[in-house]
Coordinates of all heavy atoms in Angstrom, one line a residue:
M1 N 25.8 7.3 -75.5 CA 26.0 6.1 -74.9 C 24.7 5.3 -74.6 O 24.6 4.4 -74.2 CB 26.7 6.2 -73.6 CG 28.2 6.7 -73.7 SD 29.4 5.6 -73.2 CE 28.9 4.7 -71.8
Q2 N 23.5 6.1 -75.0 CA 22.3 5.5 -74.8 C 22.1 4.3 -75.7 O 21.4 3.3 -75.5 CB 21.1 6.5 -75.2 CG 21.0 7.6 -74.2 CD 21.9 8.8 -74.5 OE1 22.7 8.8 -75.4 NE2 22.0 9.8 -73.6
D3 N 22.8 4.3 -76.8 CA 22.7 3.2 -77.8 C 24.0 2.2 -77.5 O 24.4 1.6 -78.5 CB 22.6 3.7 -79.2 CG 21.5 4.5 -79.5 OD1 20.4 4.2 -78.8 OD2 21.6 5.5 -80.2
A4 N 24.6 2.2 -76.5 CA 25.9 1.4 -76.2 C 25.7 0.0 -76.4 O 26.5 -0.7 -76.7 CB 26.4 1.7 -75.0
Q5 N 24.4 -0.6 -76.2 CA 24.2 -2.1 -76.3 C 25.0 -2.9 -75.5 O 25.5 -3.9 -75.8 CB 24.4 -2.4 -77.8 CG 23.5 -1.8 -78.8 CD 22.0 -2.0 -78.5 OE1 21.7 -3.1 -78.1 NE2 21.2 -1.0 -78.8
V6 N 25.2 -2.4 -74.2 CA 25.9 -3.0 -73.2 C 24.9 -3.5 -72.2 O 24.2 -2.7 -71.6 CB 27.0 -2.0 -72.5 CG1 27.7 -2.8 -71.3 CG2 28.0 -1.6 -73.5
G7 N 24.8 -4.8 -72.0 CA 23.9 -5.4 -71.1 C 24.3 -5.2 -69.7 O 25.4 -4.7 -69.4
W8 N 23.4 -5.7 -68.7 CA 23.7 -5.4 -67.4 C 24.9 -6.1 -66.8 O 25.6 -5.7 -66.0 CB 22.4 -5.6 -66.5 CG 21.9 -7.0 -66.4 CD1 21.0 -7.5 -67.3 CD2 22.1 -8.0 -65.5 NE1 20.7 -8.8 -67.0 CE2 21.5 -9.1 -65.9 CE3 22.9 -7.9 -64.2 CZ2 21.5 -10.3 -65.2 CZ3 23.0 -9.2 -63.6 CH2 22.3 -10.3 -64.0
I9 N 25.2 -7.3 -67.3 CA 26.3 -8.2 -66.9 C 27.5 -7.6 -67.3 O 28.5 -7.4 -66.7 CB 26.2 -9.6 -67.3 CG1 25.0 -10.3 -66.5 CG2 27.4 -10.5 -67.0 CD1 24.7 -11.7 -67.0
A10 N 27.6 -7.1 -68.6 CA 28.6 -6.5 -69.1 C 28.9 -5.1 -68.5 O 30.1 -4.8 -68.2 CB 28.5 -6.3 -70.7
A11 N 27.9 -4.5 -68.1 CA 28.0 -3.1 -67.4 C 28.7 -3.3 -66.1 O 29.5 -2.6 -65.6 CB 26.7 -2.5 -67.2
I12 N 28.4 -4.4 -65.4 CA 29.0 -4.7 -64.1 C 30.5 -5.1 -64.3 O 31.3 -4.6 -63.6 CB 28.2 -5.9 -63.4 CG1 26.9 -5.4 -63.0 CG2 29.1 -6.4 -62.1 CD1 25.9 -6.6 -62.4
I13 N 30.7 -5.8 -65.3 CA 32.2 -6.2 -65.5 C 33.0 -5.0 -66.0 O 34.1 -4.7 -65.5 CB 32.2 -7.3 -66.6 CG1 31.6 -8.7 -66.1 CG2 33.7 -7.5 -67.0 CD1 31.4 -9.7 -67.1
I14 N 32.5 -4.3 -66.9 CA 33.2 -3.0 -67.4 C 33.2 -2.0 -66.4 O 34.2 -1.4 -66.2 CB 32.5 -2.5 -68.7 CG1 32.6 -3.6 -69.9 CG2 33.2 -1.2 -69.3 CD1 31.7 -3.3 -71.0
G15 N 32.1 -1.8 -65.6 CA 32.2 -0.9 -64.5 C 33.2 -1.2 -63.4 O 33.9 -0.4 -62.9
G16 N 33.3 -2.5 -63.1 CA 34.4 -2.9 -62.1 C 35.7 -2.6 -62.7 O 36.6 -2.2 -61.9
L17 N 35.9 -2.9 -63.9 CA 37.3 -2.7 -64.4 C 37.5 -1.2 -64.5 O 38.7 -0.7 -64.2 CB 37.4 -3.2 -65.9 CG 38.6 -3.2 -66.6 CD1 39.7 -3.7 -65.8 CD2 38.6 -3.7 -68.1
A18 N 36.6 -0.4 -65.0 CA 36.8 1.1 -65.0 C 37.0 1.7 -63.5 O 37.8 2.5 -63.3 CB 35.5 1.7 -65.6
G19 N 36.3 1.1 -62.6 CA 36.5 1.5 -61.2 C 37.8 1.1 -60.7 O 38.5 2.0 -59.9
W20 N 38.2 0.0 -61.0 CA 39.6 -0.5 -60.6 C 40.7 0.4 -61.2 O 41.6 0.7 -60.5 CB 39.8 -2.0 -60.9 CG 41.0 -2.5 -60.6 CD1 41.6 -2.8 -59.3 CD2 42.2 -2.7 -61.5 NE1 42.9 -3.3 -59.4 CE2 43.2 -3.2 -60.7 CE3 42.3 -2.6 -62.8 CZ2 44.5 -3.5 -61.3 CZ3 43.6 -2.8 -63.4 CH2 44.7 -3.4 -62.6
L21 N 40.5 0.7 -62.5 CA 41.5 1.5 -63.1 C 41.6 2.8 -62.5 O 42.7 3.4 -62.3 CB 41.3 1.6 -64.6 CG 41.6 0.4 -65.4 CD1 41.0 0.5 -66.8 CD2 43.0 0.1 -65.5
A22 N 40.5 3.5 -62.2 CA 40.3 4.7 -61.5 C 41.0 4.7 -60.1 O 41.7 5.6 -59.6 CB 38.9 5.2 -61.4
E23 N 40.7 3.6 -59.4 CA 41.3 3.4 -58.1 C 42.8 3.4 -58.2 O 43.5 4.0 -57.4 CB 40.8 2.0 -57.4 CG 41.5 1.7 -56.2 CD 41.0 0.3 -55.6 OE1 40.8 -0.6 -56.6 OE2 41.0 0.1 -54.5
M24 N 43.3 2.6 -59.2 CA 44.8 2.6 -59.3 C 45.4 4.0 -59.7 O 46.3 4.4 -59.1 CB 45.3 1.6 -60.4 CG 44.9 0.2 -59.9 SD 45.8 -0.4 -58.5 CE 44.6 -0.9 -57.5
F25 N 44.6 4.7 -60.6 CA 45.2 5.9 -61.1 C 45.1 7.1 -60.0 O 46.0 7.9 -59.9 CB 44.3 6.4 -62.3 CG 44.7 7.7 -62.9 CD1 45.8 7.8 -63.7 CD2 43.9 8.9 -62.7 CE1 46.2 9.0 -64.3 CE2 44.3 10.1 -63.3 CZ 45.4 10.1 -64.1
M26 N 44.0 7.1 -59.2 CA 43.8 8.0 -58.2 C 44.4 7.6 -56.9 O 44.3 8.4 -56.0 CB 42.2 8.4 -58.1 CG 41.6 8.9 -59.3 SD 42.1 10.5 -59.7 CE 41.3 11.4 -58.4
R27 N 45.0 6.5 -56.8 CA 45.5 5.9 -55.5 C 44.6 6.0 -54.3 O 44.9 6.5 -53.3 CB 46.8 6.6 -55.2 CG 48.0 6.3 -56.2 CD 49.2 6.8 -55.7 NE 50.4 6.3 -56.6 CZ 50.9 7.0 -57.6 NH1 50.4 8.2 -57.8 NH2 51.8 6.4 -58.3
S28 N 43.3 5.5 -54.6 CA 42.3 5.5 -53.5 C 42.3 4.0 -53.0 O 42.9 3.1 -53.7 CB 41.0 5.9 -54.0 OG 40.4 5.0 -54.9
N29 N 41.7 3.8 -51.9 CA 41.7 2.4 -51.3 C 40.2 2.0 -51.2 O 39.6 2.1 -50.2 CB 42.3 2.4 -50.0 CG 42.4 1.0 -49.5 OD1 42.2 0.0 -50.3 ND2 42.8 0.8 -48.2
T30 N 39.6 1.5 -52.3 CA 38.2 1.1 -52.3 C 38.2 -0.4 -52.6 O 39.1 -1.0 -53.2 CB 37.4 1.8 -53.4 OG1 38.0 1.6 -54.7 CG2 37.4 3.4 -53.1
G31 N 37.1 -1.0 -52.3 CA 36.9 -2.5 -52.6 C 36.3 -2.8 -53.8 O 36.0 -1.9 -54.6
I32 N 36.1 -4.0 -54.1 CA 35.7 -4.4 -55.5 C 34.1 -4.0 -55.6 O 33.8 -3.5 -56.7 CB 35.7 -6.0 -55.6 CG1 35.2 -6.5 -57.0 CG2 34.8 -6.7 -54.5 CD1 36.2 -6.1 -58.1
F33 N 33.3 -4.0 -54.6 CA 32.0 -3.5 -54.9 C 31.9 -2.0 -55.1 O 31.1 -1.5 -55.9 CB 31.0 -3.8 -53.7 CG 30.9 -5.4 -53.5 CD1 31.5 -6.0 -52.4 CD2 30.2 -6.1 -54.5 CE1 31.3 -7.4 -52.3 CE2 30.1 -7.5 -54.4 CZ 30.6 -8.1 -53.4
M34 N 32.7 -1.2 -54.4 CA 32.8 0.2 -54.6 C 33.4 0.5 -56.0 O 33.0 1.4 -56.6 CB 33.6 0.8 -53.5 CG 33.5 2.3 -53.6 SD 31.9 3.0 -53.5 CE 31.9 3.9 -52.0
N35 N 34.3 -0.3 -56.5 CA 34.8 -0.1 -57.8 C 33.8 -0.3 -58.9 O 33.7 0.5 -59.8 CB 36.0 -1.1 -58.1 CG 37.3 -0.8 -57.5 OD1 37.5 0.2 -56.9 ND2 38.1 -1.8 -57.3
I36 N 33.0 -1.3 -58.7 CA 31.8 -1.6 -59.6 C 30.8 -0.4 -59.7 O 30.4 0.1 -60.7 CB 31.1 -2.8 -59.2 CG1 32.0 -4.1 -59.6 CG2 29.8 -3.0 -60.1 CD1 31.5 -5.4 -59.0
I37 N 30.5 0.1 -58.4 CA 29.6 1.2 -58.3 C 30.2 2.5 -58.9 O 29.5 3.3 -59.7 CB 29.2 1.4 -56.8 CG1 28.4 0.3 -56.3 CG2 28.3 2.8 -56.6 CD1 28.1 0.2 -54.9
L38 N 31.4 2.7 -58.6 CA 32.1 3.9 -59.2 C 32.2 3.8 -60.6 O 32.0 4.8 -61.3 CB 33.6 4.0 -58.6 CG 33.8 4.6 -57.2 CD1 35.2 4.5 -56.7 CD2 33.3 6.0 -57.1
G39 N 32.5 2.7 -61.2 CA 32.6 2.5 -62.7 C 31.2 2.8 -63.3 O 31.1 3.5 -64.4
I40 N 30.1 2.2 -62.8 CA 28.9 2.3 -63.4 C 28.3 3.7 -63.3 O 27.9 4.4 -64.3 CB 27.8 1.3 -62.8 CG1 28.3 -0.2 -63.3 CG2 26.4 1.6 -63.3 CD1 27.5 -1.2 -62.6
V41 N 28.4 4.3 -62.0 CA 27.8 5.6 -61.7 C 28.8 6.7 -62.5 O 28.3 7.6 -63.0 CB 27.7 5.8 -60.2 CG1 27.4 7.3 -60.0 CG2 26.7 4.9 -59.7
G42 N 30.0 6.4 -62.5 CA 30.9 7.2 -63.2 C 30.8 7.3 -64.6 O 30.8 8.4 -65.2
A43 N 30.3 6.2 -65.3 CA 29.9 6.2 -66.7 C 28.7 7.1 -66.9 O 28.7 7.9 -67.8 CB 29.7 4.8 -67.2
I44 N 27.7 7.0 -66.0 CA 26.6 7.9 -66.2 C 26.9 9.4 -66.0 O 26.5 10.2 -66.7 CB 25.5 7.5 -65.1 CG1 25.1 6.1 -65.4 CG2 24.3 8.4 -65.1 CD1 24.2 5.4 -64.3
V45 N 27.7 9.7 -64.9 CA 28.2 11.0 -64.7 C 29.1 11.6 -65.9 O 28.7 12.7 -66.4 CB 29.0 11.2 -63.4 CG1 29.8 12.5 -63.3 CG2 28.1 10.8 -62.3
A46 N 29.9 10.8 -66.4 CA 30.7 11.3 -67.5 C 29.9 11.4 -68.8 O 30.2 12.4 -69.5 CB 31.9 10.3 -67.8
N47 N 29.0 10.6 -69.0 CA 28.1 10.7 -70.2 C 27.4 11.9 -70.1 O 27.1 12.6 -71.1 CB 27.1 9.4 -70.2 CG 26.4 9.4 -71.5 OD1 26.8 9.9 -72.6 ND2 25.1 9.0 -71.4
F48 N 26.8 12.2 -68.9 CA 26.0 13.5 -68.8 C 26.9 14.7 -69.0 O 26.5 15.6 -69.7 CB 25.4 13.5 -67.3 CG 24.7 14.8 -66.9 CD1 23.4 15.0 -67.5 CD2 25.3 15.8 -66.2 CE1 22.7 16.2 -67.4 CE2 24.6 16.9 -66.0 CZ 23.3 17.2 -66.6
I49 N 28.1 14.8 -68.4 CA 28.9 15.8 -68.6 C 29.4 16.0 -70.0 O 29.3 17.1 -70.6 CB 30.2 15.7 -67.7 CG1 29.7 15.9 -66.3 CG2 31.3 16.8 -68.1 CD1 30.9 15.6 -65.2
L50 N 29.8 15.0 -70.7 CA 30.2 15.0 -72.2 C 29.0 15.4 -73.0 O 29.1 16.1 -74.0 CB 30.8 13.6 -72.5 CG 32.1 13.3 -72.0 CD1 32.5 11.8 -72.2 CD2 33.2 14.2 -72.3
G51 N 27.8 14.9 -72.6 CA 26.5 15.3 -73.4 C 26.4 16.7 -73.3 O 26.0 17.4 -74.3
A52 N 26.6 17.3 -72.1 CA 26.4 18.8 -72.0 C 27.4 19.6 -72.7 O 27.1 20.7 -73.1 CB 26.4 19.1 -70.4
L53 N 28.5 19.0 -72.8 CA 29.6 19.7 -73.7 C 29.4 19.3 -75.2 O 30.3 19.8 -76.0 CB 31.0 19.3 -73.2 CG 31.3 19.7 -71.7 CD1 32.6 19.2 -71.3 CD2 31.2 21.3 -71.5
H54 N 28.5 18.6 -75.6 CA 28.3 18.1 -76.9 C 29.4 17.3 -77.5 O 29.9 17.5 -78.6 CB 28.0 19.4 -77.9 CG 26.7 20.1 -77.4 ND1 25.5 19.7 -77.6 CD2 26.6 21.4 -76.9 CE1 24.6 20.6 -77.1 NE2 25.3 21.7 -76.7
L55 N 30.0 16.5 -76.6 CA 31.1 15.6 -77.1 C 30.5 14.2 -76.9 O 29.6 13.9 -76.1 CB 32.2 15.7 -76.1 CG 32.8 17.1 -76.1 CD1 34.0 17.2 -75.0 CD2 33.5 17.3 -77.4
S56 N 31.2 13.3 -77.7 CA 30.7 11.9 -77.7 C 32.0 10.9 -77.8 O 32.9 11.3 -78.5 CB 29.9 11.5 -78.9 OG 29.5 10.2 -79.0
L57 N 31.9 10.0 -77.0 CA 33.1 8.9 -77.1 C 32.7 7.8 -78.0 O 33.6 7.0 -78.2 CB 33.2 8.4 -75.7 CG 33.8 9.2 -74.6 CD1 33.8 8.6 -73.2 CD2 35.2 9.8 -74.9
G58 N 31.5 7.8 -78.6 CA 31.0 6.7 -79.4 C 30.2 5.7 -78.7 O 29.6 6.1 -77.6
T59 N 30.2 4.5 -79.2 CA 29.3 3.6 -78.6 C 30.1 2.2 -78.3 O 31.1 2.1 -78.8 CB 28.1 3.2 -79.4 OG1 28.5 2.6 -80.7 CG2 27.2 4.4 -79.6
G60 N 29.5 1.4 -77.5 CA 30.1 0.1 -77.2 C 31.0 0.0 -75.9 O 30.9 1.0 -75.2
W61 N 31.6 -1.1 -75.8 CA 32.3 -1.4 -74.6 C 33.5 -0.5 -74.3 O 33.7 0.0 -73.2 CB 32.8 -2.8 -74.6 CG 31.8 -3.9 -74.6 CD1 30.6 -3.8 -75.3 CD2 31.9 -5.1 -74.0 NE1 29.9 -5.0 -75.1 CE2 30.7 -5.8 -74.3 CE3 32.7 -5.7 -73.2 CZ2 30.5 -7.0 -73.7 CZ3 32.6 -7.0 -72.7 CH2 31.4 -7.7 -73.0
T62 N 34.2 -0.1 -75.3 CA 35.4 0.8 -75.1 C 34.9 2.1 -74.6 O 35.5 2.7 -73.7 CB 36.1 0.9 -76.4 OG1 36.5 -0.3 -76.9 CG2 37.4 1.8 -76.2
A63 N 33.9 2.7 -75.3 CA 33.4 4.1 -74.9 C 32.8 4.0 -73.4 O 33.0 4.9 -72.7 CB 32.2 4.5 -75.8
Y64 N 32.2 2.8 -73.1 CA 31.6 2.7 -71.7 C 32.8 2.6 -70.7 O 32.7 3.2 -69.6 CB 30.8 1.5 -71.7 CG 30.0 1.3 -70.4 CD1 28.8 1.9 -70.2 CD2 30.5 0.6 -69.3 CE1 28.0 1.8 -69.0 CE2 29.7 0.4 -68.1 CZ 28.5 1.1 -68.0 OH 27.8 1.0 -66.8
L65 N 33.8 2.0 -71.1 CA 35.0 1.8 -70.2 C 35.7 3.2 -69.9 O 36.0 3.6 -68.8 CB 36.0 0.8 -70.8 CG 37.3 0.6 -70.0 CD1 37.0 0.0 -68.6 CD2 38.3 -0.2 -70.8
I66 N 36.0 3.9 -71.0 CA 36.5 5.2 -70.9 C 35.7 6.2 -70.2 O 36.2 6.9 -69.2 CB 36.8 5.8 -72.4 CG1 37.9 5.0 -73.1 CG2 37.3 7.3 -72.3 CD1 38.0 5.2 -74.5
A67 N 34.4 6.2 -70.4 CA 33.4 7.1 -69.7 C 33.4 6.7 -68.2 O 33.4 7.5 -67.3 CB 32.1 7.0 -70.3
G68 N 33.4 5.4 -67.9 CA 33.3 4.9 -66.5 C 34.6 5.3 -65.8 O 34.7 5.8 -64.7
F69 N 35.8 5.2 -66.5 CA 37.1 5.7 -65.9 C 37.1 7.1 -65.6 O 37.5 7.5 -64.5 CB 38.2 5.3 -66.9 CG 39.6 5.8 -66.4 CD1 40.2 5.2 -65.4 CD2 40.1 6.9 -67.1 CE1 41.5 5.7 -64.9 CE2 41.3 7.5 -66.5 CZ 42.0 6.8 -65.5
I70 N 36.7 7.9 -66.6 CA 36.7 9.3 -66.4 C 35.7 9.7 -65.3 O 36.0 10.5 -64.4 CB 36.2 10.1 -67.7 CG1 37.4 10.0 -68.7 CG2 36.0 11.6 -67.4 CD1 36.9 10.4 -70.1
G71 N 34.5 9.2 -65.2 CA 33.4 9.5 -64.2 C 34.0 9.0 -62.9 O 33.7 9.7 -61.9
A72 N 34.5 7.8 -62.8 CA 34.9 7.3 -61.6 C 36.1 8.1 -60.9 O 36.1 8.4 -59.7 CB 35.5 5.9 -61.7
C73 N 36.9 8.7 -61.8 CA 38.0 9.6 -61.3 C 37.4 10.8 -60.7 O 37.8 11.3 -59.7 CB 39.0 9.9 -62.4 SG 40.1 8.6 -62.8
I74 N 36.4 11.4 -61.4 CA 35.7 12.6 -61.0 C 35.0 12.3 -59.6 O 35.1 13.1 -58.7 CB 34.6 13.1 -62.0 CG1 35.4 13.6 -63.3 CG2 33.7 14.2 -61.4 CD1 34.4 13.8 -64.5
L75 N 34.4 11.2 -59.5 CA 33.7 10.8 -58.3 C 34.7 10.7 -57.1 O 34.3 11.1 -56.0 CB 32.8 9.6 -58.5 CG 31.5 9.7 -59.3 CD1 30.9 8.4 -59.5 CD2 30.7 10.7 -58.7
I76 N 35.8 10.1 -57.3 CA 36.8 9.8 -56.3 C 37.3 11.2 -55.9 O 37.4 11.5 -54.6 CB 38.0 9.0 -56.8 CG1 37.5 7.5 -56.9 CG2 39.2 9.0 -55.8 CD1 38.5 6.7 -57.6
A77 N 37.6 12.1 -56.8 CA 38.0 13.4 -56.5 C 36.9 14.3 -55.7 O 37.4 15.0 -54.7 CB 38.4 14.3 -57.7
L78 N 35.7 14.1 -56.1 CA 34.6 14.8 -55.3 C 34.6 14.2 -53.9 O 34.3 15.0 -52.9 CB 33.3 14.7 -56.1 CG 33.1 15.5 -57.3 CD1 31.8 15.1 -58.0 CD2 33.1 17.0 -56.9
G79 N 34.7 12.9 -53.8 CA 34.7 12.3 -52.5 C 35.7 12.8 -51.6 O 35.6 13.0 -50.3
R80 N 37.0 13.1 -52.2 CA 38.0 13.5 -51.3 C 37.7 15.0 -50.8 O 38.1 15.4 -49.8 CB 39.4 13.5 -52.2 CG 39.9 12.1 -52.3 CD 41.1 12.0 -53.1 NE 41.6 10.7 -53.2 CZ 42.6 10.3 -54.0 NH1 43.2 11.2 -54.8 NH2 43.0 9.0 -54.1
L81 N 37.2 15.8 -51.8 CA 36.9 17.2 -51.4 C 35.8 17.3 -50.3 O 35.9 18.1 -49.5 CB 36.4 17.9 -52.7 CG 37.3 18.4 -53.7 CD1 36.7 19.0 -54.9 CD2 38.2 19.4 -53.1
I82 N 34.9 16.4 -50.4 CA 33.8 16.4 -49.4 C 34.4 16.0 -48.1 O 33.9 16.6 -47.0 CB 32.6 15.5 -49.8 CG1 31.9 16.0 -51.0 CG2 31.6 15.2 -48.7 CD1 30.9 15.2 -51.7
R83 N 35.2 15.0 -48.0 CA 35.7 14.5 -46.8 C 36.6 15.4 -46.0 O 36.9 15.4 -44.9 CB 36.5 13.2 -47.0 CG 35.7 11.9 -46.9 CD 36.5 10.7 -47.0 NE 36.2 10.1 -48.3 CZ 37.0 9.5 -48.9 NH1 38.3 9.2 -48.6 NH2 36.7 8.9 -50.2
R84 N 37.2 16.4 -46.7 CA 38.1 17.5 -46.1 C 37.3 18.5 -45.4 O 36.7 19.0 -45.0 CB 38.9 18.1 -47.2 CG 40.0 17.1 -47.7 CD 40.8 17.9 -48.7 NE 41.8 17.0 -49.3 CZ 42.7 17.4 -49.9 NH1 43.0 18.5 -50.3 NH2 43.6 16.3 -50.5

């Protein structure tokens, strides 16, 4: 995903969408700003994990959205574990 060619405005939009999808999927109650943060940071986390496993989602917006969704779900689950 280093060559994803996704600009910072697109990263915010895609990150927000990925975070929102993860929020709906995980049934969490976060706001729009947290959705954006979860999507962007989630994409970084998922990219790191997939890279460590030698897997690739490809490049571009779709790969960034999928990675953001996976990573945001992981972050929401970790947040729930920490709060308990």
